[in-house]
Amino acid sequence: MTEQSTLSAEDKKLVTLARATRARTGAAEGAAVRDLDGRTYAAATVALHSLQISAVGVCVAMAVSSGSTGLEAVVVLGDGIATEADLAVVREFAGEGVTIHVGDQRGSITSTLVS
């Protein structure tokens, strides 16, 4: 388990963004990412009949469509599990070495992974 106090100030901001986005939409997951230029993107899971995208997938799509070239950090809040699909998206877009904080719906970080 990663203590919230060990997160950098910038990563704590990502937790706040992910938690607020998930709570506002009532979605299963909320995520936030910070790109290499320091820009942040926050999103919730999209669960329509004709379109299903994870919160991390939406964040990466937003970053890519904004011209970002990589990520520094990712936070995903929900059931406390990072899916292989989310890890693959982060690796494909940003490569290895990206910090991924995973937590529950309240924003408590339960694990930290590296892509």
Side-chain angles (χ1 to χ4, degrees), residues 50-99:
S50 59
L51 180 66
Q52 297 84 38
I53 308 174
S54 73
V56 171
V58 176
C59 284
V60 169
M62 291 167 63
V64 169
S65 67
S66 296
S68 177
T69 58
L71 301 176
E72 290 181 354
V74 176
V75 168
V76 59
L77 303 177
D79 60 10
I81 300 170
T83 67
E84 277 302 316
D86 284 341
L87 297 174
V89 167
V90 171
R91 278 195 292 277
E92 180 177 349
F93 174 56
E96 295 183 2
V98 177
T99 301

Side-chain angles (χ1 to χ4, degrees), residues 2-50:
T2 301
E3 291 294 323
Q4 193 79 1
S5 61
T6 64
L7 295 177
S8 71
E10 293 300 313
D11 288 353
K12 287 179 183 178
K13 289 178 189 176
L14 293 180
V15 171
T16 299
L17 288 169
R19 185 178 58 232
T21 300
R22 196 207 64 72
R24 183 175 59 254
T25 63
E29 288 184 338
V33 303
R34 184 176 56 255
D35 73 9
L36 298 177
D37 293 324
R39 296 176 293 190
T40 57
Y41 306 90
T45 306
V46 175
L48 302 173
H49 289 291
S50 59

